Amino acid sequence: MAFIHRIFTFPALSLVVGAAALQAGDLPLYLPVGLHAAQESSPIERAEQNIVLQWKKDPRLRYDRLSYRGTLKECQAGSFRVKQVLTLRGVGIPIRDLPPETLVFRGERAGFRPGKTTGGAGYFFCDPETGELTAFHLMK
């Protein structure tokens, strides 16, 4: 009977010691390989990353804050006034040429006040599947 208690005591004691070491930060926590695919970033997160990368490349596109506004279809249902956008190559296209599922972000500079500050905001349009930045519109 004592032999059976030893068999069950060792694994239980090992779990307690392992949990305490993990909580103290002594052991790294590793995820199984299959779980990494489930933690991929969403198209919105990828789009934000792509916009920030573009800010680093082109200083005129740099803003202090970035916020997600919704899809182009959702934005156009409200009081969205943008009619013309520029592609990354600098070609102007009408906004109606973009798919309605396009992700829309707004960048603003610190201290921006609508109607008071010129050039303090801009819109960024990203592909809904890949998050790739496709076009932008800088406010006058």
Side-chain angles (χ1 to χ4, degrees):
M1 186 75 145
F3 178 73
I4 293 176
H5 287 284
R6 285 186 203 155
I7 291 174
F8 291 118
T9 304
F10 181 75
L13 186 58
S14 296
L15 286 174
V16 170
V17 171
L22 182 63
Q23 189 174 19
D26 295 338
L27 293 176
L29 178 62
Y30 294 104
L31 294 174
V33 175
L35 292 180
H36 289 290
Q39 292 185 341
E40 288 183 9
S41 59
S42 71
I44 293 173
E45 291 170 342
R46 286 192 304 268
E48 288 174 343
Q49 293 168 356
N50 289 331
I51 292 169
V52 171
L53 284 174
Q54 190 64 35
W55 288 357
K56 291 177 181 177
K57 293 178 187 176
D58 190 350
R60 70 188 173 113
L61 300 179
R62 191 170 298 149
Y63 291 93
D64 299 312
R65 290 183 301 267
L66 182 67
S67 60
Y68 174 66
R69 296 298 184 160
T71 64
L72 185 57
K73 184 178 181 178
E74 294 169 348
C75 290
Q76 288 177 328
S79 61
F80 194 68
R81 296 188 181 103
V82 176
K83 302 293 182 212
Q84 190 85 4
V85 296
L86 289 174
T87 64
L88 293 180
R89 288 177 263 150
V91 178
I93 60 170
I95 199 164
R96 67 178 179 270
D97 289 353
L98 296 175
E101 299 83 25
T102 300
L103 304 176
V104 179
F105 293 84
R106 181 179 168 106
E108 290 184 359
R109 291 201 169 89
F112 172 72
R113 295 184 333 203
K116 305 283 184 189
T117 311
T118 58
Y123 288 96
F124 300 92
F125 304 90
C126 299
D127 184 88
E129 294 174 9
T130 64
E132 180 184 350
L133 180 62
T134 56
F136 62 91
H137 175 81
L138 304 179
M139 307 293 274
K140 294 182 181 182

